[in-house]
Amino acid sequence: MYLNLKNWMNQKNSLLIFAFTCIFLCYGYEIANYTLSIDEEIYAAGSASPRTAIEQGRCGMALLMKLFPLVSGVPVVPTLLFGLGLVISGMLVVSFFKDKITEKYIFMGLFCTSPIWPHIAEFNTISWMFGVGLIITSLAVYNLITEKRKYAFITSSLFLAVAISIYQALLIYYVVVVFMIALFYCRRSAQWN
């Protein structure tokens, strides 16, 4: 699975460049102007313990806070990691668009510039963890649809469980992406019949 994905991403350099251009155009201000809200200062200073995240039902976020304690407080890095998460997860989803290259560019442009993302990117202390969660959720979808093994549903469910432990709203992202890909395949099969 991962070798096929790596080969596919190597072939799609222009789409990657387009996606990163969208990220820098949309989030360049946020990247260049590191700001923290009053609530975020606690996380950035390292005062917030992973216990706080666990109390909110975000065990995956607590684990990321424990493994990478200083990322939230470093200027530029959280927003860049969030943008990287958007690009990688978008590339995973767009890999199901087999027909036209224009569809891929339109999807990546809309996905990377969606109006919901700036609201997440502005929270520097958790945006990078959300980006990690997006990647894991997209891997869950990719695994569910591409793997032919008997246990693909189980491994996809494990990916999804980890993603939801980072941020619960990623469950909605998973459902929407699976539904979108199902509609895409229905449309494509209707075109061939």
Side-chain angles (χ1 to χ4, degrees):
M1 172 178 96
Y2 300 106
L3 188 57
N4 292 339
L5 183 62
K6 182 180 175 186
N7 290 336
W8 185 85
M9 287 182 94
N10 285 337
Q11 296 170 354
K12 305 300 178 196
N13 286 336
S14 64
L15 189 59
L16 277 170
I17 292 168
F18 174 74
F20 278 114
T21 303
C22 289
I23 293 295
F24 284 115
L25 287 175
C26 287
Y27 309 109
Y29 179 81
E30 184 67 32
I31 291 169
N33 297 296
Y34 183 74
T35 59
L36 293 175
S37 67
I38 293 171
D39 296 333
E40 289 180 293
E41 289 177 3
I42 295 170
Y43 281 95
S47 305
S49 68
R51 181 178 177 169
T52 307
I54 292 171
E55 289 170 353
Q56 296 173 352
R58 299 177 178 166
C59 301
M61 190 177 280
L63 181 63
L64 288 173
M65 287 170 64
K66 196 73 169 164
L67 292 174
F68 307 103
L70 301 176
V71 171
S72 295
V74 178
V76 177
V77 173
T79 310
L80 282 176
L81 290 176
F82 171 72
L84 182 65
L86 271 178
V87 170
I88 292 172
S89 61
M91 291 297 286
L92 286 166
V93 174
V94 84
S95 68
F96 297 107
F97 292 39
K98 306 258 188 258
D99 296 338
K100 298 178 184 171
I101 191 72
T102 54
E103 289 178 349
K104 295 176 184 183
Y105 279 94
I106 290 170
F107 174 80
M108 284 302 286
L110 292 174
F111 182 75
C112 291
T113 62
S114 173
I116 195 69
W117 301 137
H119 299 291
I120 294 168
E122 71 182 344
F123 291 104
N124 286 301
T125 55
I126 66 165
S127 63
W128 70 275
M129 292 183 261
F130 191 86
V132 171
L134 276 172
I135 294 170
I136 295 170
T137 307
S138 296
L139 281 172
V141 173
Y142 188 85
N143 188 52
L144 178 69
I145 295 175
T146 61
E147 288 298 312
K148 306 293 185 216
R149 294 178 292 129
K150 186 164 99 175
Y151 300 108
F153 181 76
I154 294 171
T155 55
S156 177
S157 298
L158 290 173
F159 277 131
L160 184 60
V162 171
I164 292 171
S165 74
I166 293 172
Y167 205 83
Q168 292 87 354
L170 290 169
L171 176 63
I172 296 167
Y173 170 73
Y174 177 83
V175 171
V176 167
V177 171
V178 168
F179 185 68
M180 179 192 68
I181 291 170
L183 286 176
F184 182 75
Y185 281 132
C186 288
R187 183 192 71 148
R188 190 169 28 166
S189 66
Q191 287 176 344
W192 293 108
N193 293 330

